[in-house]
Structure formats: structure tokens, C-alpha cells
Amino acid sequence: MYGREQASFSQEAMAALLTYSWPGNIRELENLCKRFVIVGGETQILRELTSRSQHTASVPLTAPAPLATAPLPSPEPAAVRQPFGTNLLEVGRRAAWQAERRLILETLEAVRWNRKLAAQRLGISYRSLRSKIEQIDRDETTKRHLIA
């Protein structure tokens, strides 16, 4: 999906994954695994799991009572309150595409734009690489038209 080689977690990382409570259920685990593939290392993932576990342990079970002087937020539709582009799924897709785009361009530069060799190194078909290059070109063209 991301054009990366298959990676596996170390025993330490697996232990951290197994002991974490996963309040976000399978989606939280899925997002963490996607970040692991994109980032390419488990150091950040382990750090994140450790800080989450410590934060969860330090948060009291009951929230403190709100201050009497604090104004209550007015009930607004979610579309009004939520700024454009903050949909978590869309942010994840955008980040994944940016990482994929960067890897494709770096690989193409490393092989002097030999698309066949780049596709082999990325572990995707030549046709898929061509399609992704076309998408990158469309994105760049769109940016140029928006700026002009």
C-alpha cells in the first residue's frame, strides 16, 4: 500500500503493543501500524505508546468540575466548529500520500529517473509507478494554477 518493504516489530515493541490498553480499539492500532510503516522505525512508536500509557495512568478517572466562571460553548453544528481539513481520516490520507510522494521522488532521483528500476526498488509495478507519477504531476499542476 505504501510501497515499503515488510517490517516487523521487535520483541520489546510487541510487548508494548500487547500491554497497551487501546482505548481507540482497532482503529488506533491500525493508525499506529500505518505510522510505523511510513516512519520506518519503532523508536517513535515505542515513545508514543510509553507516553500514552503514562498519560492514561496519571489522568484521574473523574474529571475536575468546571469553573463556574467558564462560559459554556454554544451548541454549533460540527461543520461550523471543525476547521476545514481536520477530519482525521483525511489528514491521515494526506500524510500517507505526502510520505509516498516523497519516497517516490527520492527513489526516482536516486536512480536518475529510471522508472523501471524505481518501480523495482519501491516494490510496485511499472504501471503503478507511472500512475503515481501522473498523480504527482496533476497535484503540481493544480498547485501552480492555484498560486497563479
Side-chain angles (χ1 to χ4, degrees), residues 25 40 111 117:
N25 295 329
V111 298
L117 184 56

Side-chain angles (χ1 to χ4, degrees), residues 12-96:
E12 179 187 3
M14 283 301 292
L17 291 168
L18 291 171
T19 58
Y20 184 66
S21 66
W22 299 106
N25 295 329
I26 192 69
R27 288 188 180 152
E28 186 178 4
L29 174 61
E30 181 183 25
N31 289 333
L32 183 116
C33 290
K34 285 179 180 178
R35 283 194 306 278
F36 171 71
V37 170
I38 292 169
V39 172
E42 63 185 33
T43 306
Q44 181 179 352
I45 303 300
L46 285 171
R47 195 176 317 129
E48 187 176 328
L49 282 175
T50 304
S51 70
R52 284 183 190 178
S53 294
Q54 290 171 352
H55 177 71
T56 304
S58 66
V59 172
L61 293 176
T62 57
L67 297 174
T69 58
L72 294 174
S74 61
E76 299 177 65
V80 175
R81 285 185 306 212
Q82 186 177 10
F84 177 74
T86 57
N87 176 309
L88 189 58
L89 184 59
E90 183 58 34
V91 169
R93 285 183 184 146
R94 205 172 318 131

Side-chain angles (χ1 to χ4, degrees), residues 77-125:
V80 175
R81 285 185 306 212
Q82 186 177 10
F84 177 74
T86 57
N87 176 309
L88 189 58
L89 184 59
E90 183 58 34
V91 169
R93 285 183 184 146
R94 205 172 318 131
W97 171 243
Q98 288 173 353
E100 189 174 325
R101 179 184 175 279
R102 185 176 61 236
L103 179 63
I104 290 168
L105 292 174
E106 287 173 359
T107 303
L108 284 166
E109 288 177 16
V111 298
R112 297 181 184 178
W113 284 80
N114 180 330
R115 293 183 289 187
K116 184 177 180 182
L117 184 56
Q120 289 173 347
R121 286 193 180 177
L122 292 168
I124 60 175
S125 70

Side-chain angles (χ1 to χ4, degrees), residues 97 101 104-105 132-140:
W97 171 243
R101 179 184 175 279
I104 290 168
L105 292 174
K132 290 177 185 297
I133 291 171
E134 289 170 4
Q135 178 63 43
I136 292 169
D137 287 342
R138 281 192 299 270
D139 290 351
E140 292 299 319

